[in-house]
């Protein structure tokens, strides 16, 4: 019982931090207008990171080193920039991702950087480049490496479809002590989906305890159009727990990021789940958009990084 009480108390403290960089946006826009267009990305993001560290409020800078610790599961930063430009958005995205110590992982069988409606996407849900709803999940649970952090930057979103963030404390709010006890021992198999070109799987417990960051969750409620459920209980008798969580997701509290240009969101991938409603456009428009191969003009264009927490790579 003490373990269950500790578990409940621990996950109840997890939270989303919202920051507003409007006070920095003019500095960033001026820097962008004066930037040499031929400057390599690695140098441009280094310049921008220095600008932010020099001019941002100390209280805001402090959060760069707290994600995944001190009960901070996610951070959103709004009003970083206002110019609708995919090059600016990419530089901002890479610079701030690195300030949060996100070490981006690029797998050769997945194109993870640009998120927009791709050809055929009108036929898919639970796929970042699709038109349909994306069910709450954490990324890459089938991979051998752990994806500690996920970051997203909005270049533009005229569809007004924000990223949604779910906390385990809300999904499990009505679970009994007996059900929590079973969850703490629940083992599942995670399967890759349409997002990668090969089939991968991994078995793991859905909950782990870490002395540094406390409880970590491994949950994926997506049902892929091609491979089906992405999270399958090893013991079929545990399916009732997964189904109860899936039902709770429909009505539980969730937070939404800002879908406007210049919004950055970063999530501790094992502390909170992310999702998205069906894109707020009709199907015929989705088909027309998906057939336009120039992503720089997509009505909804986000940049994504996902990878390891660089603070602990050598520990």
């Amino acid at each position: 019982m003490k373990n269950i009480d500790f578990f409940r108390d621990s996950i109840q403290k997890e939270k989303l931090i919202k920051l507003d960089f409007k006070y920095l946006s003019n500095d960033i826009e001026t820097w962008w207008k004066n930037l040499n267009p031929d400057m390599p990305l690695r140098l441009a993001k280094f310049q921008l990171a220095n600008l932010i560290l020099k001019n941002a409020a100390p209280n805001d800078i402090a959060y760069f080193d707290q994600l995944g610790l001190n009960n901070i599961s996610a951070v959103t930063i709004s009003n970083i920039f206002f110019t609708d430009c995919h090059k600016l958005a990419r530089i901002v995205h890479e610079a701030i991702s690195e300030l949060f110590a996100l070490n981006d992982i690029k797998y050769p069988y997945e194109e993870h950087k640009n998120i927009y409606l791709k050809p055929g996407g009108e036929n898919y849900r639970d796929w970042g480049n699709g038109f349909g709803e994306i069910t709450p999940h954490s990324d890459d649970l089938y991979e051998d490496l752990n994806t500690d952090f996920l970051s997203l930057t909005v270049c533009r979103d005229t569809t007004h479809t924000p990223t949604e963030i779910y906390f385990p404390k809300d999904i499990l709010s009505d679970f009994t002590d007996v059900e929590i006890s079973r969850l703490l021992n629940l083992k599942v198999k995670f399967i890759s989906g349409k997002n990668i070109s090969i089939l991968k799987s991994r078995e793991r417990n859905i909950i782990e305890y870490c002395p540094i960051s406390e409880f970590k969750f491994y949950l994926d409620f997506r049902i892929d159009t091609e491979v089906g459920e992405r999270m399958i209980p090893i013991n079929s008798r545990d399916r009732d727990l997964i189904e109860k969580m899936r039902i709770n997701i429909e009505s539980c509290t969730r937070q939404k990021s800002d879908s406007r240009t210049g919004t950055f969101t970063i999530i501790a991938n094992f502390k909170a789940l992310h999702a998205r409603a069906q894109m707020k456009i009709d199907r015929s428009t989705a088909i027309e958009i998906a057939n336009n191969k120039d992503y720089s003009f997509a009505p909804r264009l986000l940049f994504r990084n996902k990878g390891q927490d660089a603070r602990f790579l050598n520990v």
Side-chain angles (χ1 to χ4, degrees):
M1 290 297 295
K2 288 183 179 179
N3 288 341
I4 292 174
D5 289 341
F6 174 67
F7 172 80
R8 291 188 190 277
D9 291 342
S10 175
I11 66 172
Q12 193 62 37
K13 298 173 186 175
E14 298 297 331
K15 56 185 176 290
L16 164 69
I17 300 296
K18 293 187 176 182
L19 307 178
D20 190 337
F21 270 17
K22 190 172 183 178
Y23 69 93
L24 274 183
S25 59
N26 285 337
D27 291 338
I28 292 172
E29 291 280 350
T30 299
W31 168 82
W32 170 246
K33 290 175 183 176
N34 295 326
L35 184 70
N36 180 344
D38 297 324
M39 179 174 287
L41 172 63
R42 62 184 179 84
L43 296 180
K45 68 180 181 182
F46 179 75
Q47 271 195 11
L48 180 58
N50 281 334
L51 183 155
I52 292 171
L53 290 173
K54 180 179 178 181
N55 296 293
N59 288 345
D60 291 345
I61 291 175
Y63 287 113
F64 293 153
D65 200 39
Q66 295 186 43
L67 183 66
L69 308 174
N70 303 318
N71 306 117
I72 297 173
S73 297
V75 178
T76 66
I77 308 175
S78 58
N79 299 312
I80 303 169
F81 60 95
F82 302 108
T83 299
D84 181 345
C85 173
H86 67 283
K87 293 181 180 179
L88 171 59
R90 174 71 187 278
I91 294 170
V92 169
H93 176 71
E94 299 293 349
I96 300 182
S97 293
E98 291 190 10
L99 286 175
F100 274 97
L102 195 169
N103 182 50
D104 193 35
I105 297 174
K106 175 66 178 78
Y107 294 107
Y109 41 77
E110 178 185 22
E111 177 48 60
H112 78 280
K113 187 67 65 176
N114 309 324
I115 304 298
Y116 62 99
L117 191 57
K118 293 183 178 176
E122 72 277 3
N123 298 316
Y124 289 94
R125 55 166 290 163
D126 284 329
W127 180 40
N129 298 307
F131 163 63
E133 174 188 8
I134 301 177
T135 315
H137 66 283
S138 293
D139 277 5
D140 295 353
L141 300 181
Y142 47 81
E143 292 288 0
D144 297 327
L145 294 176
N146 282 333
T147 297
D148 300 308
F149 296 157
L150 162 80
S151 64
L152 297 164
T153 297
V154 181
C155 175
R156 81 180 64 86
D157 186 4
T158 60
T159 72
H160 307 293
T161 312
T163 298
E164 299 176 346
I165 300 171
Y166 290 74
F167 289 92
K169 63 182 178 182
D170 299 313
I171 299 173
L172 304 177
S173 62
D174 66 344
F175 271 55
T176 67
D177 287 352
V178 171
E179 288 170 327
I180 294 295
S181 180
R182 291 175 60 201
L183 276 178
L184 292 170
N185 295 287
L186 177 59
K187 193 168 187 176
V188 300
K189 181 178 182 180
F190 293 101
I191 301 172
S192 61
K194 182 175 173 56
N195 52 305
I196 71 169
S197 60
I198 64 174
L199 187 64
K200 300 197 71 177
S201 66
R202 177 177 176 179
E203 293 184 6
R204 61 199 308 172
N205 291 333
I206 67 163
I207 301 172
E208 285 182 359
Y209 180 75
C210 171
I212 296 175
S213 57
E214 297 192 356
F215 289 97
K216 294 183 178 183
F217 290 81
Y218 307 96
L219 295 167
D220 187 345
F221 295 99
R222 291 174 295 181
I223 300 177
D224 189 86
T225 307
E226 297 178 353
V227 304
E229 289 182 272
R230 303 285 298 273
M231 178 175 66
I232 302 171
I234 299 301
N235 190 329
S236 60
R237 288 177 294 182
D238 292 325
R239 178 166 290 279
D240 63 311
L241 298 174
I242 292 177
E243 292 306 318
K244 183 172 181 176
M245 287 188 284
R246 194 182 293 278
I247 291 171
N248 286 356
I249 281 170
E250 297 298 323
S251 58
C252 78
T253 302
R254 81 282 313 259
Q255 307 227 28
K256 296 182 180 181
S257 69
D258 197 327
S259 61
R260 291 178 297 174
T261 292
T263 299
F264 176 90
T265 300
I266 188 164
I267 301 168
N269 192 44
F270 305 135
K271 306 288 274 184
L273 290 74
H274 60 284
R276 189 202 74 198
Q278 178 171 299
M279 292 177 68
K280 296 178 175 63
I281 52 176
D282 59 59
R283 183 177 174 80
S284 60
T285 303
I287 294 172
E288 181 181 348
I289 292 169
N291 289 328
N292 183 351
K293 296 182 179 180
D294 189 348
Y295 76 85
S296 63
F297 295 101
R300 187 177 190 273
L301 173 62
L302 280 65
F303 289 97
R304 174 175 63 182
N305 279 16
K306 51 182 184 173
Q308 295 171 294
D309 180 350
R311 295 171 298 178
F312 303 110
L313 283 180
N314 295 320
V315 177

